[in-house]
Amino acid sequence: MIGTGLLKGLAVTARNFLGSFHDPRRFVTTQYPEERTVLPEAYRNFPFLVSESADDPMGTLRCVACQICEKECPPQCILIEKSADKKPDANGKMQIYPAVFAIDTSVCMSCQICVEVCPFDAIKMDQVFELATTNRFGGLLLDREALAKPDSYFHRIHPTEAAEVEARLAAGRKAAQDKARAAAAPKAAPAASAPSVQPPAAPVAEAPPPPGTAA
Amino acid sequence: MSAADPSLLASAPGPQIRAVRDEFHGDLLEVSMGPHHPSTHGVFRMMATLDGETVVKLKPVFGYLHRNHEKIGENTTYLGSMPYTDRLDYFCAMTNNWAYALAVERLAGQAVPERAEYLRVILAELTRLLNHTCLAGFLLQDCGASGTPLMYAFREREKILDLFESLSGSRMMCNYQRFGGCRVDPPPGWLEAAGRLVGGYGGFLDEYEALLTGNEILMARTQGIGRLAAPLAISAGVTGPMLRASGVDYDLRKVDGYGFYPRFAFRVPLGAHGDTYDRYMIRMLEMRESIRILEPALRDLPAGPIIDPKARLRGFRAKPGEAYGRIEGPKGEIGFYLISTGGPNPYRYRVRPPSFVNLTILEDLCLGHSIADAVVILGSIDIVLGEVDR
Amino acid sequence: METVEQIRDRLLARFPGAAVTVVPNPGPAAQHSLLLGAERAREIAEFLRDDPVLQLDYCSNVTGVDWPGHLEVVYHLYSMARKHGPVILRLRTANRSDQVTLPSLTPVWRAAEFQEREVFDLFGVVFAGHPDLRRILMWDGFQDHPMRKDYVEPDDYEWEPTAHGDVLAKAKRHAAAAGSAPAAGEAGA
């Protein structure tokens, strides 16, 4: 009979319409901004700079102004100017820091390549998307102060990734400390071998690290 | 030089104008279905010359979304071009990424681990599901079913986009493939969620087909409209579901056997009439076949590295040479042609867009039909202007 | 499928005196191509399409390339009937300035129609025998050919806050001309 296809279709529409009053599968609208969807951990929007501590964000930036992200950024939205002086980083090494670090979020396409190429885990992807501003020419330009957020924030928004970064950085710090200790030990050994009956000096690289040093 | 077959040059300017019927003393009306139009699938313009309501000449005009993608590709590193490929066919970012990664891997001789190949197949088939679902929705929108099938399609597409978001960080601009594998491993729970989605998709398709496939209005509006004969389709370089709806058995997943597609048993549906209804049905059938690929792929995903350990991220260079890599995207054959002269940027970076080439026969299909049918025919070609214009 | 050398030998046997040479592809992809002379390119293309062994009925991709001394058009051919390929053809112009005409292969494969128009639009290669050769991506009154390596884009300067490199140089030129100097990288209000 002609019209059976239409009737079947109307049955589907009716099922969806009536179902939308009680079945969450059929009514899928989120009433933003009163309700918010839970974003997955991997969600990324614009980047932010990681500071080790929240008390001194500018002083504890992990970024050493190597400018790799600036070169690799496809739309070239990052501007970095190196500082003239140096500051100690988390490992105690003197590093330059960025005097200017600006990202133009009207150009940034959130592709995450800057995060992938950063050798220092200094730039990570943020999840804030409510960045609308009324100033068209400068309001979307985020400078160092606006970009820097503490490491605790990074742990909160990307817990899995932050745990992995933390483990890697801790391993790096431990390796640096072991190397420093191994380099310092030969200086102590010649002083210890005085001309008296003494057992020969133990091999210098053998000193085991005391537990709990890596922190 | 031998004479060219005139039927293949139907779009040449010339004596296309039929004699206007004297009894009405009418003129031909030139209508510009302009770039701002809800049914042109983007900023696309059709200069249609109408005799009453019948199309006698139709010239597509595009370039409104031309963003210089190929020249940007020449001035950007290989890695830096990957996010731009997301934006070509913006519905199908995962397959664009894969086509580009495949071309670069062919150019550089880069191997890809098993787990990454399986993931690529899974994501490409999920993309095919969302593209074909959306196409059915858009086609019905063009027919005038204002919103219902489209919104049901978008409701299911949202579930797939949620999967993409939890995997790659972004719903559409995924930037997920890398040269030598994929960027990041699926987070815990992702595979189960994907399995649940694929398990429930058959039920959604049953409901969607109950709504649409037997619908008399859809059949009246699409059957017999825009017939594409197989010889013209082959000569015009049409690929994808549009070609298979005309009965030509050419699916790159079977022909080239790229990735690990040869491991999966799936059929290639072929159409008998080549009209709009066949193009719609082919896509529904292809979705069912995609589910038959996804279920074993998700079940048998091997453990292992997600990217080849020897792959370089920064400073990727390819030896001088060239390569053309292509995959069966949801819209047709998407290919990338790269010429390398050894530097960090490609010397020539070319995208072979399926929608662009499929538009060659738009005029041929629309001649003789009414202007309303031209909208439906354009809908069934499945174009995305991001790809047509690059 | 035959190797590219075998195809060349068959073409030279069928079209004696035609200019057919193999262009080897040094990279790992090993997709070698055939360089054809412009005079008999269309006949050779028809032969390749109709030859029962090759049956290259599908022209997949038409690319323009800008080399320092000439322009080149590359055709990737596949066979839908036999499911093999690619056979790659190259046609080269004599120079980049006045002798830029090549025979159009649109009468052989309709798929080349829009793609040759694109090569004309973006590179400037004129295809003789193309049914409708006009610009396709740029607007009709556009003057230059944008994909050429020596294309100079018009100086439609727009202020960009993170200007560096070429954009910074352009901004400085404009600032010097205007008399005021918006410092690049200065944070907004």
Side-chain angles (χ1 to χ4, degrees):
Chain A
M1 185 190 83
I2 192 164
T4 43
L6 275 165
L7 287 175
K8 261 196 346 187
L10 281 173
V12 171
T13 323
R15 202 173 333 127
N16 274 282
F17 175 64
L18 296 170
S20 71
F21 287 99
H22 61 87
D23 184 1
R25 286 180 312 138
R26 304 229 182 256
F27 186 66
V28 290
T29 309
T30 306
Q31 307 291 332
Y32 180 86
E34 289 85 14
E35 284 173 35
R36 280 158 200 264
T37 42
V38 175
L39 295 170
E41 185 194 328
Y43 171 71
R44 60 179 145 95
N45 206 29
F46 294 120
F48 73 94
L49 289 173
V50 181
S51 303
E52 294 289 356
S53 88
D55 307 314
D56 182 15
M58 291 300 110
T60 56
L61 283 177
R62 277 190 199 156
C63 174
V64 299
C66 64
Q67 294 181 311
I68 290 178
C69 59
E70 189 180 10
K71 290 191 193 64
E72 295 288 331
C73 173
Q76 310 240 297
C77 69
I78 302 182
L79 178 70
I80 298 176
E81 275 173 30
K82 298 183 194 241
S83 63
D85 59 327
K86 291 195 181 188
K87 272 207 307 254
D89 70 352
N91 284 346
K93 199 162 152 239
M94 296 301 276
Q95 299 271 19
I96 54 175
Y97 59 92
V100 172
F101 194 113
I103 295 185
D104 186 359
T105 52
S106 67
V107 175
C108 173
M109 52 176 175
S110 311
C111 66
Q112 215 202 30
I113 286 183
C114 54
V115 172
E116 282 177 64
V117 297
C118 177
F120 299 95
D121 295 297
I123 187 168
K124 294 292 172 192
M125 290 313 275
D126 203 349
Q127 296 189 333
V128 178
F129 52 86
E130 288 149 339
L131 290 169
T133 173
T134 48
N135 176 358
R136 182 177 159 205
F137 291 104
L140 293 171
L141 180 72
L142 302 182
D143 56 2
R144 252 186 354 163
E145 281 74 18
L147 285 172
K149 294 193 180 171
D151 196 24
S152 50
Y153 176 75
F154 179 43
H155 276 266
R156 211 175 65 232
I157 58 172
H158 293 295
T160 325
E161 195 186 339
E164 185 248 336
V165 168
E166 201 58 49
R168 195 158 20 92
L169 288 178
R173 274 195 290 271
K174 186 161 113 41
Q177 278 175 345
D178 286 351
K179 212 165 81 145
R181 202 171 302 117
K187 295 197 194 65
S193 61
S196 62
V197 188
Q198 267 187 351
V204 293
E206 197 207 70
T213 334
Chain B
M1 284 184 249
S2 58
D5 185 354
S7 70
L8 298 180
L9 292 176
S11 76
Q16 291 284 339
I17 317 291
R18 289 190 341 229
V20 176
R21 292 188 296 176
D22 279 328
E23 49 197 278
F24 289 112
H25 301 285
D27 285 335
L28 294 173
L29 176 67
E30 187 160 302
V31 170
S32 166
M33 281 193 65
H36 286 272
H37 195 285
S39 289
T40 53
H41 294 264
V43 275
F44 179 69
R45 185 176 180 210
M46 293 197 281
M47 306 284 302
T49 307
L50 303 177
D51 169 20
E53 277 233 4
T54 318
V55 174
V56 294
K57 190 164 146 204
L58 187 128
K59 292 282 171 216
V61 179
F62 39 83
Y64 296 95
L65 195 50
H66 181 63
R67 294 162 294 179
N68 235 350
H69 175 78
E70 297 183 356
K71 194 146 187 123
I72 292 176
E74 289 178 9
N75 295 331
T76 316
T77 58
Y78 288 93
L79 176 65
S81 285
M82 185 61 90
Y84 289 115
T85 61
D86 290 332
R87 288 147 170 91
L88 282 171
D89 172 2
Y90 34 79
F91 283 100
C92 310
M94 290 288 189
T95 44
N96 298 344
N97 284 168
W98 186 5
Y100 179 53
L102 189 91
V104 175
E105 283 154 11
R106 207 170 275 183
L107 180 71
Q110 171 77 49
V112 181
E114 259 201 27
R115 186 177 170 86
E117 289 280 24
Y118 266 81
L119 266 175
R120 284 177 170 183
V121 168
I122 291 170
L123 295 169
E125 293 310 310
L126 283 173
T127 309
R128 201 176 312 273
L129 282 180
L130 74 76
N131 177 271
H132 289 344
T133 311
C134 283
L135 177 95
F138 284 127
L139 181 66
L140 267 292
Q141 172 94 341
D142 291 344
C143 288
S146 53
T148 304
L150 182 62
M151 287 303 127
Y152 294 171
F154 270 54
R155 189 187 61 203
E156 296 308 306
R157 177 174 171 246
E158 285 296 310
K159 298 180 186 154
I160 303 181
L161 293 180
D162 285 343
L163 279 180
F164 286 172
E165 193 180 25
S166 54
L167 175 67
S168 75
S170 172
R171 287 148 47 95
M172 284 164 69
M173 307 296 142
C174 300
N175 187 18
Y176 182 68
Q177 313 292 351
R178 291 285 175 267
F179 314 128
C182 301
R183 177 161 60 84
V184 72
D185 234 330
W190 192 87
L191 287 167
E192 290 76 23
R196 278 196 300 274
L197 175 101
V198 173
Y201 217 83
F204 161 69
L205 282 180
D206 290 335
E207 188 186 69
Y208 209 50
E209 288 211 68
L211 177 66
L212 295 179
T213 302
N215 189 297
E216 284 81 1
I217 304 178
L218 176 67
M219 290 200 283
R221 287 222 51 193
T222 55
Q223 281 179 347
I225 304 290
R227 274 181 204 275
L228 178 59
L232 178 58
I234 298 175
S235 170
V238 172
T239 50
M242 221 180 143
L243 175 71
R244 293 191 282 279
S246 299
V248 181
D249 181 10
Y250 196 73
D251 184 331
L252 295 183
R253 295 175 290 173
K254 296 275 192 198
V255 168
D256 280 356
Y258 59 92
F260 280 176
Y261 275 110
R263 293 192 188 184
F264 300 103
F266 62 99
R267 297 170 295 184
V268 176
L270 296 177
H273 306 103
D275 59 5
T276 304
Y277 189 71
D278 270 5
R279 291 195 273 274
Y280 157 78
M281 274 311 297
I282 289 290
R283 289 178 168 108
M284 302 307 273
L285 293 170
E286 279 193 2
M287 280 201 272
R288 306 253 182 212
E289 297 303 319
S290 288
I291 296 177
R292 288 183 58 201
I293 299 177
L294 276 167
E295 280 164 350
L298 284 166
R299 199 181 51 226
D300 301 333
L301 181 67
I306 200 77
I307 191 166
D308 186 60
K310 291 201 269 303
R312 286 196 66 177
L313 190 65
R314 276 187 59 218
F316 178 91
R317 268 162 216 252
K319 291 199 220 12
E322 61 179 50
Y324 179 65
R326 59 184 195 161
I327 70 163
E328 178 79 20
K331 298 187 159 60
E333 171 186 324
I334 175 156
F336 281 78
Y337 175 56
L338 294 158
I339 299 182
S340 157
T341 47
N345 302 353
Y347 185 82
R348 174 74 171 104
Y349 167 93
R350 151 93 181 154
V351 182
R352 187 267 185 212
S355 310
F356 183 66
V357 184
N358 287 357
L359 276 177
T360 312
I361 35 80
L362 176 65
E363 187 179 9
D364 299 70
L365 296 185
C366 291
L367 288 179
H369 289 116
S370 70
I371 187 74
D373 294 331
V375 173
V376 173
I377 292 169
L378 179 67
S380 73
I381 298 182
D382 194 7
I383 63 169
V384 166
L385 266 296
E387 191 171 62
V388 171
D389 291 341
R390 283 152 286 138
Chain C
M1 200 184 75
E2 306 171 299
T3 65
V4 73
E5 285 84 13
Q6 287 169 323
I7 300 177
R8 177 206 52 202
D9 295 335
R10 273 209 302 137
L11 286 174
L12 287 174
R14 171 77 177 76
F15 300 95
V20 180
T21 44
V22 170
V23 177
N25 177 8
Q31 288 176 343
H32 310 295
S33 41
L34 282 169
L35 172 63
L36 300 181
E39 310 75 39
R40 308 189 72 179
R42 193 178 293 173
E43 289 182 74
I44 295 177
E46 278 168 4
F47 172 75
L48 289 172
R49 182 193 64 192
D50 301 329
D51 175 47
V53 172
L54 284 173
Q55 274 188 286
L56 296 167
D57 49 8
Y58 166 46
C59 173
S60 164
N61 178 33
V62 180
T63 312
V65 191
D66 184 15
W67 295 108
H70 58 271
L71 300 168
E72 186 174 69
V73 183
V74 184
Y75 293 82
H76 284 80
L77 306 172
Y78 287 83
S79 171
M80 285 198 187
R82 302 217 160 224
K83 306 209 182 350
H84 61 213
V87 170
I88 306 173
L89 301 180
R90 302 184 107 89
L91 298 174
R92 290 187 183 156
T93 63
N95 59 29
R96 291 171 78 236
S97 46
D98 53 327
Q99 293 168 329
V100 290
T101 309
L102 287 175
S104 165
L105 298 187
T106 303
V108 184
W109 295 287
R110 180 87 185 274
E113 183 183 339
F114 278 12
Q115 301 188 72
E116 283 180 352
R117 271 178 69 183
E118 184 190 336
V119 175
F120 164 67
D121 183 5
L122 300 180
F123 286 90
V125 176
V126 174
F127 289 96
H130 191 282
D132 184 15
L133 192 67
R134 55 194 167 96
R135 286 192 181 266
I136 192 170
L137 291 176
M138 308 307 291
W139 59 93
D140 287 329
F142 193 81
Q143 284 307 315
D144 213 340
H145 297 291
M147 279 294 288
R148 290 198 179 186
K149 299 280 183 184
D150 58 357
Y151 173 70
V152 175
E153 56 197 25
D155 192 10
D156 44 3
Y157 168 72
E158 196 177 288
W159 183 71
E160 203 177 288
T162 52
H164 49 85
D166 301 334
V167 182
L168 183 60
K170 205 195 279 190
K172 285 193 173 134
R173 271 203 312 273
H174 277 264
S180 65
E186 207 173 54

